[in-house]
Amino acid sequence: MTPLLVSVLGIVAVLGLYLATISGRHTQQPADFVDAGLALPPWVIIFAGAGITLASLNLPDHLLLLSTFGLQYNQVAVGLICVALCAAITQKRVWLAARLTSLRTLGDLLGDYFGSTTLRIYMLFVLFLFSIPFAAMCLSQVGALVSAATVNDVPAGLAIWSIAFVLFLCSVIGGWRGIAYLVAAQSLLVLALMIFFGGFTGFTLDKLAFAANGIGTASGVLPDKIPGVIQFSAGIGKELPAGGLWTTFAGLTFALSLGGIAISPGFSFLGVTSAPRRGLAFSQVWMIAGLAAGALILIGPVLAAEIAASGSLTAFTTRLATLDPMVAVGFTVLLVASGQIAVAFFAGSGASVCTIELTSRYIIPGMDQRSARFATRVTLALVYGAVAAVASYAPLSATIFSSLTLSLSMQLLPAVLGLCWVRWISRSGVLAGLIVGSLCVVFTESFGLVLFERLFVDLPWGRWPLSVHSAGWGLVTNFSACLLVSLFTRSGAERDRRDRLHDAFEESQPARNGSQAAITAKWTLTLLWAFFALGPGAILGNTFFSEPIFAGAVVAPGVPSLLIWQVLFWFVGVVIVWWLAYQGHLSVIDERPRHRIVLVPDVNPLFEPVTTPWIARLLDRVTGR
């Protein structure tokens, strides 16, 4: 199986290099290497959006957790609708703001809109978490998968550095356009393989484990039921939750953390550098909410049951190899490709955004296009080198730091909502919310707990106390502080700048919310869906279809009641996202803005760009050869 797997991965690598070469030849100006000329075709974001969402969820971990906790963890797949909802609410407005202000990154937009250097620094920190620890965690898993599939014929270290080198070549040759093409192509591959394996396991295996016995979870874990609305436990590491971890509050707050994908620096950069009209809406509705979430909800439990019956991912792959080696290779490629999407996208977007927000603004202000391209290539080399080194020598550290990534990214939601919709959210409110929200995230995750308890004393709670995800704790305190402070500072000195952007929104593409009754109905239905699909109402799904109140007897629907509930609210969720994105015009771009505005940031003498002649001379000598 080793030669076959290496050959297939080699073909995938050649495809990536081909796409990178095509992208490099179509580059018209050196600056296009950094941002693809802000003209990525719609099909890129259509396919890449779904692939990035699946990769950020970490597909191997998702299948393992599903085989461990059963259908209660399948609520996370329903939570992908939250990614689509978050993207529908923010992505179009961020794209419009970028075109109106001639800015290219979410960090620059938030920094200029609120006049805050602190927000820029926070965005760069989140970018760092995605680009190095998160990407390194995914790359280390890819190396472990290849090593296990080849019975260590290809060691994990060799796989990590080889894959990192190939992805670096694709990035340094094709630039941002080449990275986007590669991610879109591998996303299409992942989606196609997921659908294939759903059908393959259904029609080829003699006896489906899911149909015969369900998902074989560990003792004490409910395989086909949610273990309550909330559990008053001290948290992971302090107290073992009864019946499983994934209560309705755990599922809801974890789903909220997934919204951090949609407002992450890299995903926002992908949207800003695209030239879509209906591409955003199609990606959000049919690819993320429809295909990606649907595939996980319907196919995930089937694969998880087979993995649980086999004992591990490696044992399941070996079992597939006994049927056909090519099938086992396909399953390994599915998992490896999802990891490669995360590494290529977050490392590549991190290099481009870092060049725009850090290098060209603070280190070497006023760089020309050739210098910016060179700086991006140097940054790509540094990022990929760091990712491969961390993945090889410090995978545990990468996992600990990456656990903060989505939750800290989601703490930007009040700031992004202020940029997009709520003009009275002030800079002071956003900063106050970020501080308290981020502290809550850190001290309800492994990093903060381990650090504090080793330096000081043991804390009375563990990870995710009361079965509430760290993103939930952070958002509650974040919004509370942000709204409270904004009420007293909403008319501050920077209000004119905020009004200027929102007035430009109304002039270029005003929101089409309809009548007051339509607005109320739209958001009321969205909240009701969240309550019953992910919130406390989801507990009804445990017995709603197996012990219906209206029947007065126990019925046998053939599949667990909870799965039917999840499929039903997945379908309703897709309809709601479609209603908001298309009918509400939240994601449909009618035309490009025809005028420009200038957001003048407050002057901060400590961080105002300062010319550094020695770096500029050194870079000029290198690029001028």
Side-chain angles (χ1 to χ4, degrees):
M1 178 174 157
T2 299
L4 186 59
L5 176 60
V6 172
S7 300
V8 173
L9 291 177
I11 293 172
V12 174
V14 170
L15 173 62
L17 291 171
Y18 171 75
L19 293 173
T21 304
I22 294 297
S23 303
R25 290 179 177 176
H26 282 80
T27 300
Q28 299 179 353
Q29 301 179 28
D32 292 351
F33 184 89
V34 182
D35 59 13
L38 305 180
L40 289 175
W43 65 266
V44 171
I45 196 169
I46 286 174
F47 290 112
I52 294 164
T53 302
L54 292 174
S56 301
L57 192 57
N58 202 324
L59 195 55
D61 274 357
H62 179 83
L63 292 176
L64 287 174
L65 286 170
L66 192 55
S67 66
T68 302
F69 291 99
L71 290 180
Q72 58 179 274
Y73 182 74
N74 209 35
Q75 287 289 104
V76 171
V78 183
L80 290 187
I81 303 291
C82 288
V83 181
L85 283 172
C86 194
I89 293 170
T90 62
Q91 209 167 18
K92 173 185 171 181
R93 281 291 172 109
V94 170
W95 185 91
L96 283 175
R99 293 303 189 272
L100 286 167
T101 60
S102 299
L103 299 174
R104 294 177 289 174
T105 67
L106 183 59
D108 278 347
L109 284 170
L110 292 176
D112 280 8
Y113 176 77
F114 289 105
S116 172
T117 304
T118 305
L119 268 175
R120 295 180 184 275
I121 295 173
Y122 188 91
M123 288 293 298
L124 287 172
F125 178 67
V126 173
L127 180 73
F128 164 79
L129 289 177
F130 273 107
S131 300
I132 296 182
F134 193 85
M137 179 195 68
C138 296
L139 185 58
S140 66
Q141 285 192 337
V142 167
L145 286 169
V146 173
S147 176
T150 59
V151 199
N152 209 34
D153 288 340
V154 179
L158 177 61
I160 287 171
W161 285 94
S162 300
I163 291 173
F165 180 71
V166 170
L167 294 179
F168 166 72
L169 279 183
C170 295
S171 303
V172 82
I173 292 172
W176 176 240
R177 183 183 295 274
I179 295 168
Y181 283 4
L182 172 65
V183 170
Q186 295 216 14
S187 300
L188 179 60
L189 175 64
V190 167
L191 292 169
L193 286 174
M194 280 196 68
I195 296 172
F196 167 78
F197 278 103
F200 179 85
T201 53
F203 292 106
T204 306
L205 298 181
D206 295 334
K207 188 177 182 181
L208 279 178
F210 184 76
N213 304 309
I215 301 175
T217 58
S219 176
V221 177
L222 301 176
D224 55 4
K225 287 182 172 60
I226 298 174
V229 173
I230 190 171
Q231 291 199 17
F232 297 98
S233 63
I236 302 173
K238 299 289 184 179
E239 187 177 350
L240 190 64
L245 172 65
W246 299 95
T247 62
T248 60
F249 268 87
L252 174 62
T253 52
F254 190 90
L256 289 175
S257 77
L258 295 179
I261 300 170
I263 58 176
S264 65
F267 202 88
S268 301
F269 187 65
L270 177 65
V272 168
T273 54
S274 299
R277 286 190 178 272
R278 293 180 178 266
L280 292 178
F282 194 95
S283 173
Q284 295 155 9
V285 178
W286 306 118
M287 299 304 294
I288 297 176
L291 189 57
L296 284 185
I297 292 170
L298 296 172
I299 300 172
V302 176
L303 294 177
E306 300 300 330
I307 293 170
S310 302
S312 66
L313 272 174
T314 304
F316 178 59
T317 305
T318 304
R319 181 182 168 196
L320 290 176
T322 60
L323 298 174
D324 189 332
M326 193 63 200
V327 175
V329 167
F331 184 71
T332 304
V333 170
L334 165 65
L335 302 180
V336 169
S338 68
Q340 288 180 338
I341 290 171
V343 176
F345 178 75
F346 290 119
S349 62
S352 291
V353 174
C354 184
T355 301
I356 295 169
E357 291 190 11
L358 182 62
T359 308
S360 63
R361 182 176 177 85
Y362 295 115
I363 301 177
I364 312 175
M367 281 195 305
D368 59 22
Q369 293 187 10
R370 294 176 62 85
S371 300
R373 180 176 62 185
F374 178 76
T376 306
R377 284 175 169 159
V378 171
T379 309
L380 280 169
L382 294 174
V383 169
Y384 272 104
V387 168
V390 173
S392 298
Y393 304 114
L396 179 60
S397 299
T399 302
I400 292 174
F401 276 96
S402 63
S403 66
L404 299 170
T405 306
L406 292 179
S407 296
L408 289 180
S409 178
M410 195 57 182
Q411 301 311 305
L412 290 164
L413 183 60
V416 176
L417 289 178
L419 171 74
C420 297
W421 299 102
V422 189
R423 64 176 73 195
W424 55 264
I425 290 182
S426 67
R427 174 178 59 193
S428 300
V430 167
L431 294 180
L434 271 181
I435 292 170
V436 296
S438 299
L439 285 175
C440 285
V441 167
V442 170
F443 285 103
T444 52
E445 282 289 354
S446 304
F447 172 77
L449 293 170
V450 171
L451 181 65
F452 189 88
E453 291 184 350
R454 286 191 176 183
L455 293 177
F456 303 105
V457 297
D458 286 352
L459 293 171
W461 65 85
R463 189 183 184 194
W464 305 358
L466 303 181
S467 68
V468 175
H469 191 271
S470 58
W473 289 108
L475 281 178
V476 168
T477 54
N478 189 342
F479 269 105
S480 300
C482 178
L483 297 179
L484 182 62
V485 175
S486 293
L487 286 176
F488 295 98
T489 59
R490 62 184 182 275
S491 300
E494 78 274 7
R495 178 63 186 260
D496 290 341
R497 180 171 56 251
R498 303 200 305 266
D499 287 341
R500 196 179 309 134
L501 179 61
H502 287 278
D503 291 342
F505 281 152
E506 293 302 318
E507 291 175 13
S508 58
Q509 293 196 34
R512 301 181 183 180
N513 294 322
S515 64
Q516 187 62 40
I519 297 173
T520 303
K522 185 185 304 180
W523 295 110
T524 299
L525 286 176
T526 303
L527 292 175
L528 284 174
W529 173 86
F531 180 83
F532 286 104
L534 296 166
I539 199 71
L540 298 174
N542 284 347
T543 57
F544 188 84
F545 295 99
S546 58
E547 302 175 19
I549 299 174
F550 49 82
V554 176
V555 297
V559 294
S561 172
L562 182 58
L563 181 60
I564 301 175
W565 184 272
Q566 291 166 345
V567 172
L568 172 63
F569 278 93
W570 160 64
F571 179 77
V572 174
V574 172
V575 173
I576 289 176
V577 178
W578 168 82
W579 189 17
L580 293 173
Y582 282 101
Q583 301 304 308
H585 274 256
L586 287 184
S587 301
V588 175
I589 299 173
D590 298 318
E591 59 181 354
R592 295 174 63 93
R594 298 181 180 178
H595 62 283
R596 298 287 186 270
I597 64 172
V598 177
L599 298 176
V600 182
D602 294 338
V603 176
N604 187 333
L606 292 177
F607 293 95
E608 195 66 7
V610 178
T611 303
T612 50
W614 68 274
I615 296 180
R617 287 196 299 269
L618 177 62
L619 187 61
D620 185 62
R621 289 177 183 175
V622 175
T623 57
R625 292 180 179 178

